Amino acid sequence: MENDVRALARVQEWYGPHSSTAAEWPVDALMMAKGDTTVSVVLPARDEENTVGDIVRVIRRELVERTPLVDEILVVDSNSTDGTAERARAAGARVVAQNEVLPHLPPLTGKGEALWKGLAASKGDIIVYIDADLRSFGAHYVSGLVGPLLVDGDTHFVKATYERPYIGSDGVPQRGGGGRVTELVARPLLNMFWPELAGFAQPLGGEYAARREVLEQVPYVTEYGVEFGLLVDLLHLVGLDAMAQVDLGHRTHTHQSMTALGRMAGQIMLTAWSRLERQGRVLASEAPAHTLLQFGLEGQAGLVDVGVAERPPLASLVLEEDLA
């Protein structure tokens, strides 16, 4: 109980000074703080032709042409089978194919792979990750996230928070209904094992920004455990006081099916387990299973693999190549 109270006090102490809203970071003020710092916006995208172009156009119009806050818009095409790459390129982004970045490495799959390849292919001092399926995107998503990084040199990582409504088949938003894996899996795990991170309201959200030098020092889980893994690993690397969150308002996006959410939950649990092992907090005689038996609506059952791989810290890869 004493440890729980201490952890809660630490979160309360952190929350106020390290939480803000996007409105507190006006673009004109950020331009004064930007100096020669470069900003890259990276969008991992797989089959997102309906949304990626609109997101890129907003960033280009508002934050490149109107006010030059962003220096690079990079879309990582994660083996799309639709017109994602063409839409993104037409809207003004630089597009790279996931498997053509560091092609000498064996290809891996998953969102984390696209994020890691985006880090490798981009050039900015600050990296802003934005999901490509957003239907509520505004330029304040980017300016809000880079604000604390440009103004405060002691801040190294900024995570977005927002309201995530769930939009059902009737098209009516249900307040607080989104983020089901966040509430059922991620937040309980964080509160149990990394309570310092309990103040992050959207730990699995795909919108966040960080300094390149920090991101290059941590591994990337290649599947949907990537955001959870980054949060835990960055806590260990830079400490809670170097982390912040910014409220972007609300976020609407494409919802996953329950079976997809089940696979996502399994990947996050395995990611958490690997961090607990790495930190010497659990000791097991054998590794946890990485298969999940799922049932369909008609009672049919099938095994799916929810195992996760990892890409090493990019800095270690660069160092190895420099020494070769």
Side-chain angles (χ1 to χ4, degrees):
M1 175 65 76
E2 184 179 340
N3 288 339
D4 292 344
V5 172
R6 216 168 23 238
L8 177 60
R10 181 70 181 98
V11 171
Q12 291 174 328
E13 174 189 325
W14 169 84
Y15 189 89
H18 296 85
S19 298
S20 59
T21 66
E24 295 176 56
W25 308 104
V27 175
D28 291 344
L30 296 184
M31 286 304 301
M32 296 177 64
K34 176 178 164 68
D36 59 0
T37 302
T38 54
V39 176
S40 293
V41 178
V42 176
L43 295 90
R46 180 171 185 174
D47 295 335
E48 302 294 354
E49 65 177 5
N50 294 327
T51 51
V52 68
D54 290 339
I55 296 171
V56 170
R57 269 188 290 275
V58 170
I59 298 171
R60 186 162 191 83
R61 183 181 67 243
E62 301 295 330
L63 300 177
V64 176
E65 296 169 351
R66 184 170 298 172
T67 307
L69 182 69
V70 170
D71 301 277
E72 177 183 36
I73 308 171
L74 177 69
V75 171
V76 182
D77 181 20
S78 185
N79 304 311
S80 296
T81 58
D82 65 0
T84 291
E86 292 77 9
R87 298 281 180 90
R89 194 174 289 112
R94 180 165 74 92
V95 178
V96 295
Q98 177 176 296
N99 291 342
E100 292 179 7
V101 179
L102 302 176
H104 62 287
L105 298 177
L108 296 175
T109 61
K111 181 183 181 183
E113 172 78 344
L115 294 173
W116 190 76
K117 291 292 185 69
L119 177 63
S122 61
K123 302 178 177 67
D125 302 314
I126 291 174
I127 306 299
V128 185
Y129 286 125
I130 301 290
D131 278 351
D133 66 342
L134 299 180
R135 300 181 183 277
S136 56
F137 181 79
H140 68 286
Y141 273 43
V142 175
S143 56
L145 289 171
V146 301
L149 296 166
L150 290 175
V151 172
D152 183 2
D154 292 328
T155 299
H156 296 298
F157 174 80
V158 181
K159 187 82 177 181
T161 183
Y162 25 57
E163 181 181 347
R164 295 178 68 179
Y166 176 77
I167 302 177
S169 57
D170 58 2
V172 179
Q174 302 173 24
R175 291 193 62 184
R180 289 164 287 176
V181 176
T182 293
E183 295 303 322
L184 298 175
V185 180
R187 288 182 53 75
L189 283 170
L190 291 176
N191 277 265
M192 284 188 284
F193 299 112
W194 297 278
E196 308 98 312
L197 296 172
F200 284 96
Q202 296 293 343
L204 301 185
E207 288 69 52
Y208 45 100
R211 301 188 191 281
R212 169 178 293 278
E213 61 194 33
V214 168
L215 292 176
E216 289 184 345
Q217 295 180 60
V218 291
Y220 276 53
V221 173
T222 57
E223 302 291 341
Y224 278 109
V226 60
E227 276 87 18
F228 191 99
L230 286 175
L231 205 58
V232 171
D233 292 342
L234 287 170
L235 173 68
H236 181 71
L237 179 67
V238 303
L240 186 62
D241 286 334
M243 307 170 80
Q245 67 179 340
V246 174
D247 191 338
L248 303 182
H250 72 281
R251 179 189 198 266
T252 57
H253 64 110
T254 304
H255 295 296
Q256 303 263 15
S257 67
M258 287 301 293
T259 53
L261 293 178
R263 294 192 292 271
M264 188 184 303
Q267 291 167 355
I268 290 164
M269 293 176 74
L270 287 173
T271 299
W273 181 269
S274 69
R275 268 66 194 159
L276 289 169
E277 280 193 313
R278 198 168 298 167
Q279 294 175 8
R281 301 175 65 183
V282 295
L283 182 62
S285 59
E286 60 183 61
H290 56 84
T291 53
L292 175 66
L293 182 63
Q294 292 189 303
F295 294 90
L297 294 177
E298 306 303 323
Q300 69 275 26
L303 275 176
V304 294
D305 188 346
V306 294
V308 294
E310 283 192 14
R311 287 297 193 185
L314 191 62
S316 68
L317 190 70
V318 173
L319 180 60
E320 289 175 3
E321 291 179 348
D322 288 342
L323 293 175

